[in-house]
Amino acid sequence: MHFITGGAFNGKKAWVKKTYRVTKDDPWISAYKNDLIPINLNGIDRNLIILEGAEQWIKKLTEIHNSTKSRELWNHYLNQWSSWEKEKPERQIVVIGTDITKGIVPLEAENRLWRDVTGWAFQDLAAKSDKIDVIWYGINQSIK
């Protein structure tokens, strides 16, 4: 897995498109377009899958579940994605997630929960990822 993160509107999507030479045939699943979090990737016959808006899928989890259950579900999805990816060496999953709040603690309890779970979920994603890039203003910094 390749985890791409950075601030909102900092060029993550454009960087992924350029770096991976994404075509219109490559599956691009986006929480920003109200696509549901993909649980089962079986049936996708492409080698590259882009999952965009991880923080939005995590927000949906925290609207329904407590922090522990949200993180359990997130890790279940990560394990499913990792298993699909490892079935064939040419497969690659790219997960794009926006860095939210930059350490600012939200006033509302539901937003604090979302921020906290997103931080933990991104740590879990980082641990399972082979590569991590942070994108700021269209420029990447590889950190793993």
Side-chain angles (χ1 to χ4, degrees):
M1 255 184 286
H2 188 173
F3 178 33
I4 309 297
T5 191
F9 303 101
N10 267 247
K12 298 179 296 297
K13 184 176 189 172
W15 187 86
V16 168
K17 284 182 173 183
K18 180 180 175 187
T19 301
Y20 281 95
R21 295 183 176 101
V22 175
T23 70
K24 62 181 172 95
D25 295 327
D26 292 316
W28 192 292
I29 303 166
S30 177
Y32 305 131
K33 294 183 178 178
N34 295 317
D35 294 336
L36 298 176
I37 190 167
I39 298 167
N40 184 348
L41 299 175
N42 294 329
I44 296 178
D45 63 353
R46 302 291 294 180
N47 291 324
L48 174 66
I49 298 175
I50 296 97
L51 307 176
E52 177 188 40
E55 77 287 349
Q56 294 303 316
W57 286 319
I58 295 164
K59 184 176 189 176
K60 297 262 190 227
L61 291 174
T62 64
E63 289 171 354
I64 301 168
H65 306 287
N66 65 25
S67 62
T68 302
K69 184 65 175 178
S70 294
R71 195 168 176 197
E72 284 174 9
L73 287 167
W74 177 252
N75 276 285
H76 173 73
Y77 303 145
L78 291 178
N79 290 332
Q80 293 288 342
W81 301 341
S82 181
S83 293
W84 178 88
E85 187 179 54
K86 289 177 180 173
E87 285 177 5
K88 296 182 182 177
E90 62 274 11
R91 286 183 173 173
Q92 178 70 58
I93 295 176
V94 177
V95 181
I96 304 170
T98 297
D99 183 4
I100 59 173
T101 76
K102 268 306 197 199
I104 297 170
V105 180
L107 293 175
E108 304 84 7
E110 62 273 9
N111 287 336
R112 284 194 305 276
L113 175 64
W114 175 37
R115 181 201 68 150
D116 293 350
V117 173
T118 298
W120 295 323
F122 281 8
Q123 288 179 54
D124 297 336
L125 175 57
K128 287 181 171 50
S129 294
D130 301 310
K131 299 187 324 188
I132 303 169
D133 278 279
V134 179
I135 312 297
W136 292 109
Y137 313 114
I139 300 170
N140 76 302
Q141 179 182 17
S142 295
I143 60 173
K144 181 178 179 183

